[in-house]
Amino acid sequence: DAKTTQPTSMDCAEGRAANLPCNHSTISGNEYVYWYRQIHSQGPQYIIHGLKNNETNEMASLIITEDRKSSTLILPHATLRDTAVYYCIVRPQGAQKLVFGQGTRLTINP
Amino acid sequence: NAGVMQNPRHLVRRRGQEARLRCSPMKGHSHVYWYRQLPEEGLKFMVYLQKENIIDESGMPKERFSAEFPKEGPSILRIQQVVRGDSAAYFCASSGGTGRFDEQYFGPGTRLTVT
């Protein structure tokens, strides 16, 4: 499985955009990038996924570099409720299981 | 539309007892996954099941752990003769299995404490 590297922790001011980076330099051409988050003690929550084009939904935007070696999850207007651990996951084709790393602990400050 | 349901939410067992964790997938979902999160660690995949079949159990400990997803009723994760190291949060997820990369939706988890 392709490995991902994320910063251990980040801080962001409430109302600002939170940009969470992820490196996945060994990603294969048919592997998708998924983002999940886990708010304290709750089950993980799906956020977004993409292959090579940028993606946007009601929760976030996903920017994938042209060489696909890295990506950025953007929360456009962070709120206190966005404080969570964010996991960037590379999912191999045909694999059903999710392989979670340590993630980034994002803290939104008032 | 009810989400993934897990019960109990908290379970306390003494060493040597059995623990049974239940997971009801989202309506219409036929794929179930179990993950374990040890204290201060990330989530680890345990097992992937479809109705009446275990598809991938590569993350299951070789002994004392078993899982099933019967034709009727919830999926069950069973831990026999629990030890203190089994104390963790156990999360169940479900998916519809309709696409190559369908999303998994997680339940609230069962927190197992072994005393």
Side-chain angles (χ1 to χ4, degrees):
Chain A
D1 297 353
K3 289 186 181 292
T4 61
T5 304
Q6 299 178 252
T8 302
S9 62
M10 292 182 63
D11 285 83
C12 180
E14 187 178 17
R16 304 297 292 268
N19 298 291
L20 292 92
C22 179
N23 287 325
H24 31 78
S25 58
T26 60
I27 193 171
S28 298
N30 57 3
E31 291 179 317
Y32 282 67
V33 179
Y34 274 71
W35 284 83
Y36 279 77
R37 73 179 182 184
Q38 186 175 24
I39 297 171
H40 179 63
S41 298
Q42 297 180 21
Q45 178 187 22
Y46 166 79
I47 301 174
I48 200 167
H49 75 278
L51 181 64
K52 48 184 162 184
N53 297 322
N54 298 337
E55 302 287 343
T56 296
N57 62 20
E58 63 280 1
M59 288 184 69
S61 294
L62 175 61
I63 309 298
I64 302 175
T65 57
E66 191 169 342
D67 63 7
R68 302 188 68 236
K69 293 183 185 299
S70 65
S71 60
T72 301
L73 178 74
I74 301 172
L75 308 178
H77 304 287
T79 70
L80 298 178
R81 287 177 293 182
D82 292 321
T83 292
V85 178
Y86 286 76
Y87 296 98
C88 170
I89 298 168
V90 171
R91 194 173 183 188
Q93 181 181 10
Q96 290 289 338
K97 66 184 180 184
L98 297 170
V99 180
F100 290 84
Q102 293 304 307
T104 295
R105 185 172 297 276
L106 175 67
T107 301
I108 306 300
N109 300 305
Chain B
N1 185 17
V4 177
M5 299 176 68
Q6 291 187 248
N7 66 81
R9 297 290 305 276
H10 299 274
L11 182 62
V12 179
R13 285 287 178 266
R14 292 196 180 124
R15 280 180 297 171
Q17 291 185 319
E18 178 180 287
R20 279 181 178 248
L21 289 64
R22 288 177 290 278
C23 169
S24 296
M26 284 180 69
K27 186 177 181 180
H29 283 186
S30 59
H31 297 226
V32 165
Y33 314 79
W34 285 93
Y35 293 81
R36 177 167 68 173
Q37 187 169 33
L38 294 168
E40 305 303 321
E41 294 191 16
L43 292 102
K44 303 293 184 189
F45 167 81
M46 299 181 75
V47 62
Y48 161 43
L49 310 99
Q50 296 179 20
K51 284 285 187 180
E52 300 185 279
N53 287 303
I54 297 174
I55 307 301
D56 180 357
E57 55 182 347
S58 57
M60 286 279 271
K62 292 288 185 276
E63 297 177 350
R64 302 187 297 108
F65 285 71
S66 62
E68 63 177 15
F69 188 17
K71 187 176 180 181
E72 301 291 338
S75 175
I76 306 287
L77 180 68
R78 182 182 178 207
I79 311 172
Q80 296 178 290
Q81 299 176 315
V82 296
V83 301
R84 289 224 171 101
D86 296 333
S87 294
Y90 292 82
F91 292 97
C92 166
S94 74
S95 71
T98 55
R100 287 167 59 191
F101 294 101
D102 54 318
E103 296 84 28
Q104 295 180 20
Y105 295 89
F106 284 78
T110 294
R111 274 146 193 85
L112 172 65
T113 302
V114 179
T115 61

